[in-house]
Amino acid sequence: MAKCLLCDAAIEPFISFGKMPIANGFLHPKQFASEYFFELKVGVCEACGMVQLTERVDPEQLFHDNYAYFSSISTRMAAHFEQFAADVKSRYLVDEDPLVVEIGSNDGILLRHFAHAGVRHLGVEPSANVGEVARADGINTLCEFFDASVADNVVAEHGQADVVLATNVMCHIPDLHGVLEAVRILLKPGGVMIFEDPYLGDIVERTSYDQIYDEHFFYFSLSSVQQLLGRHGFELVDAEPQPVHGGSMRYTFAAQAERTVDDRVPRRLGEEQERGLARVETFEAFRAQVEQSRDALHALLAGVVEEGARVVGYGATSKSTTVTNYCGITPEMVEFVSDTTPAKQGMFTPGVHLPVRPYEEFVADYPDYALLFAWNHGDEILAKETAFREQGGKWIVYVPEVKVL
Ligand code: SAH
Ligand code: TMP
Ligand code: ZN
């Protein structure tokens, strides 16, 4: 029986996606034979409400000097983070000579707005290759996994932080107790931490099961976050939904009783309770939806391929590793996956081994169907790919439901 990573209670998984490779583990044919697999399954802890993976891959195997995800590849995310930085500056950087620390700063997509404005800042980023891109742009970056000893060193060298930021990284860290202990050391009295991650409510509502993969150890709700924070003397002071990554939540917390709690927090907690976001039955229903989505996508693809249509994947996302492996999407169905990230081009996708080709190959010879793996960037992509549709191309999407556009 698996145990909750946060409170040790026993957990029974409510869904298994079967054997899965590393979601960002793009590879060359000579590596196929030694590819690593684990069972991707998720459970909800009935004691603390945290939804989480019940079998896990060691983080050192996920985040390293060859990490495939470069945040700045998306202009939509770049704009989102520019706005976020402006909000943080106006709301929270009120003291003289403030310090901003970011956990999981990647290529500097967020921190650059502080660095370029002359704000004291530091990124903590264990994946050396992406951190190097940030450094080259003048962004102070430590190549480390964030923990209490890193926090001690930062405080010794730079003093405490006014604001700690973390986007799409808290759910990537199995030892959240260690992180919160470190934040306690790092944060100034009166300071805040703001973090943003895909929101469990949206995953369930939209059947976006592809948010589930090895790097996402946790699927947060306000109530599970609130319980966790309480164990470390923190409290949630705000929670604001964000449209990015298919539905995210931005959580702001501070030491207990230091700041006023926005009305949104109790209101949303009440909504979650009504929706049953901590109840096993909710997740049983989710599993049924996921299975239905898988069968529908497989049938649709098999049908168009049978008719002789060409299908190309759009965006070799980490999320699509769950979809392709779970739904059995093979190279016989999808000719290749188009992706703009140079590090992924020429490689093969994890598990099912679809070839990843440069975007130019998609444009040079439009397929009949493009399977939109990067659906979370859908607005941006559909807006820029008008020529594909004008020439008769069709999109296949699967979130929130399987359909042809
Ligand atoms: N913040 C960026 C990147 C998200 S990807 C964005 O929102 O786009 C997650 C990043 O967190 C990766 O770059 C990964 O290397 C980093 N990361 C993973 N575990 C970490 C840890 N324990 N401490 C700090 N960063 C971590
Ligand atoms: P993500 O879903 O994890 O953000 O990854 C997006 C992937 O999709 C990344 O590998 C880049 C790729 N991509 C494209 O190829 N074209 C695009 O227009 C966009 C927005 C992303
Ligand atoms: Zn628990």
Side-chain angles (χ1 to χ4, degrees):
M1 177 77 88
K3 280 186 168 178
C4 174
L5 263 173
L6 301 179
C7 78
D8 253 10
I11 307 186
E12 194 67 69
F14 58 79
I15 190 167
S16 170
F17 295 91
K19 288 288 166 205
M20 276 291 153
I22 306 282
N24 262 314
F26 294 87
L27 68 181
H28 292 296
K30 62 177 186 312
Q31 299 167 303
F32 288 174
S34 60
E35 192 168 13
Y36 178 87
F37 287 88
F38 71 107
E39 188 183 347
L40 182 66
K41 44 190 177 171
V42 185
V44 55
C45 173
E46 291 186 73
C48 75
M50 187 62 80
V51 173
Q52 56 194 282
L53 299 185
T54 58
E55 189 173 319
R56 293 168 285 261
V57 178
D58 180 1
E60 317 259 340
Q61 222 171 310
L62 305 174
F63 310 112
H64 40 60
D65 58 5
N66 199 15
Y67 185 57
Y69 184 71
F70 289 74
S71 301
S72 297
I73 214 87
S74 161
T75 50
R76 164 120 189 268
M77 289 309 294
H80 170 77
F81 288 128
E82 184 172 4
Q83 182 60 51
F84 182 26
D87 286 353
V88 170
K89 280 184 205 157
S90 64
R91 282 170 76 177
Y92 299 109
L93 298 190
V94 289
D95 287 359
E96 210 173 309
D97 198 23
L99 173 67
V100 176
V101 175
E102 187 185 354
I103 306 170
S105 45
N106 199 277
D107 59 8
I109 188 167
L110 172 59
L111 216 44
R112 70 167 72 109
H113 300 292
F114 300 96
H116 296 173
V119 176
R120 285 199 306 133
H121 65 277
L122 184 65
V124 183
E125 172 51 68
S127 297
N129 60 330
V130 293
E132 202 44 58
V133 173
R135 278 205 197 113
D137 189 28
I139 301 164
N140 303 324
T141 309
L142 268 183
C143 185
E144 305 265 16
F145 285 91
F146 180 73
D147 61 14
S149 80
V150 170
D152 280 329
N153 292 340
V154 173
V155 173
E157 200 173 327
H158 306 277
Q160 284 180 306
D162 297 68
V163 176
V164 177
L165 303 173
T167 63
N168 305 302
V169 59
M170 289 291 271
C171 72
H172 293 62
I173 306 181
D175 182 17
L176 281 182
H177 291 311
V179 168
L180 291 172
E181 200 182 304
V183 171
R184 198 156 239 324
I185 295 168
L186 183 57
L187 210 54
K188 250 188 199 170
V192 295
M193 171 153 178
I194 311 170
F195 70 99
E196 195 174 292
D197 279 290
Y199 177 55
L200 178 65
D202 289 306
I203 296 174
V204 170
E205 191 153 303
R206 309 172 80 172
T207 321
S208 46
Y209 65 90
D210 55 348
Q211 294 288 4
I212 299 170
Y213 58 90
D214 50 15
E215 293 179 23
H216 293 168
F217 294 91
F218 299 106
Y219 305 87
F220 297 135
S221 62
L222 267 66
S223 66
S224 59
V225 165
Q226 174 91 311
Q227 287 207 38
L228 171 66
L229 294 175
R231 291 178 61 172
H232 293 270
F234 290 119
E235 77 183 337
L236 204 51
V237 296
D238 207 352
E240 302 159 273
Q242 304 294 322
V244 297
H245 287 312
S248 290
M249 190 65 75
R250 180 178 293 166
Y251 304 92
T252 305
F253 69 85
Q256 264 159 9
E258 262 187 8
R259 286 182 175 258
T260 34
V261 176
D262 193 281
D263 295 344
R264 281 186 278 241
V265 174
R267 196 176 64 232
R268 287 191 194 290
L269 280 165
E271 282 166 14
E272 282 189 354
Q273 204 170 6
E274 266 169 41
R275 289 170 62 184
L277 260 198
R279 277 208 305 271
V280 174
E281 306 86 83
T282 304
F283 300 106
E284 300 287 343
F286 171 69
R287 182 187 58 213
Q289 297 276 87
V290 172
E291 288 170 356
Q292 203 172 44
S293 173
R294 172 196 61 193
D295 297 346
L297 181 60
H298 191 273
L300 174 66
L301 285 170
V304 300
V305 169
E306 171 93 25
E307 288 163 10
R310 277 181 69 221
V311 184
V312 165
Y314 196 105
T317 60
S318 20
K319 289 186 291 300
S320 60
T321 295
T322 299
V323 176
T324 51
N325 285 275
Y326 180 60
C327 301
I329 299 174
T330 59
E332 288 71 44
M333 296 170 142
V334 171
E335 197 175 301
F336 65 88
V337 185
S338 158
D339 197 283
T340 50
T341 314
K344 296 182 186 176
Q345 297 164 355
M347 312 266 287
F348 289 79
T349 67
V352 292
H353 305 152
L354 307 174
V356 183
R357 312 294 313 157
Y359 171 64
E360 291 68 28
E361 294 193 21
F362 169 75
V363 179
D365 186 10
Y366 283 140
D368 302 298
Y369 293 91
L371 174 54
L372 186 58
F373 287 134
W375 58 265
N376 51 315
H377 304 288
D379 302 349
E380 175 179 348
I381 293 170
L382 264 59
K384 96 180 156 196
E385 298 298 351
T386 48
F388 168 59
R389 272 171 107 175
E390 278 161 18
Q391 296 188 24
K394 295 196 174 79
W395 292 98
I396 297 176
V397 297
Y398 45 85
V399 172
E401 58 198 353
V402 175
K403 62 176 178 217
V404 175
L405 299 179

